[in-house]
Every structure is written in structure tokens, then in C-alpha cells.
Amino acid sequence: MKNKLSFLGLGTWCFGDEENPSASDPMKNYWGGQKHSDSVRTIHAALRAGINHFDTAQVYGNGRSEQVVGQELRKIREQVII
């Protein structure tokens, strides 16, 4: 059975940023950086809130966002929509 898409989703663009991004790279500096631990906590808070849709892309932090999302959701992959 397919999962029903949650009304809200979580965008993960900032998950790929470094805590102190380079000012020379506007894509990395857009959000001002985010700690890895904050990204992980955000994913788990979204899950507790009933969110099952996670938006990520290879360009978010040059693939780092995909890594963070994948690592945190791998055990429940069949229950979420990425």
C-alpha cells in the first residue's frame, strides 16, 4: 500500500549547509548555515508531527542534504516519501 502524502512536507535545503558557510558561495550562504545536529532534530520533530514528505535534491549542499535525510530515514524508508 502506498503512503498517503502528509499535508505538510519538510524542505531540507539548509541541511546541506555548513555551520559557517563560505561567503563566496551564495548557494551555501543563503540560509546562514545549520548544524548537523539541528538538521537531525528537525527531521525527528517533523516525524513526530506526522510529516512523511521530505524534499531534498542533489544540489542542496552539494549532496550533503541527501546524505543527512537518507541516514536518518533509512530504517523507515518505506514509511516516508522523499
Side-chain angles (χ1 to χ4, degrees):
M1 183 168 110
K2 295 267 183 185
N3 291 325
K4 184 176 180 184
L5 185 67
S6 57
F7 182 75
L8 294 176
L10 179 67
T12 63
W13 182 356
C14 60
F15 288 10
D17 285 348
E18 299 168 6
E19 188 175 352
N20 297 305
S22 167
S24 65
D25 186 345
M27 290 298 287
K28 280 190 154 186
N29 202 31
Y30 186 83
W31 293 108
Q34 180 162 312
K35 292 180 184 178
H36 174 79
S37 60
D38 290 341
S39 298
V40 170
R41 280 195 298 271
T42 300
I43 290 170
H44 291 281
L47 290 167
R48 286 191 304 275
I51 293 174
N52 72 346
H53 173 222
F54 296 84
D55 170 58
T56 189
Q58 185 177 5
V59 298
Y60 298 175
N62 293 320
R64 180 70 185 132
S65 175
E66 287 182 314
Q67 291 173 348
V68 173
V69 171
Q71 288 169 355
E72 291 306 310
L73 299 178
R74 71 177 175 249
K75 291 183 181 177
I76 59 166
R77 178 60 185 100
E78 299 303 318
Q79 301 170 29
V80 296
I81 300 163
I82 301 173

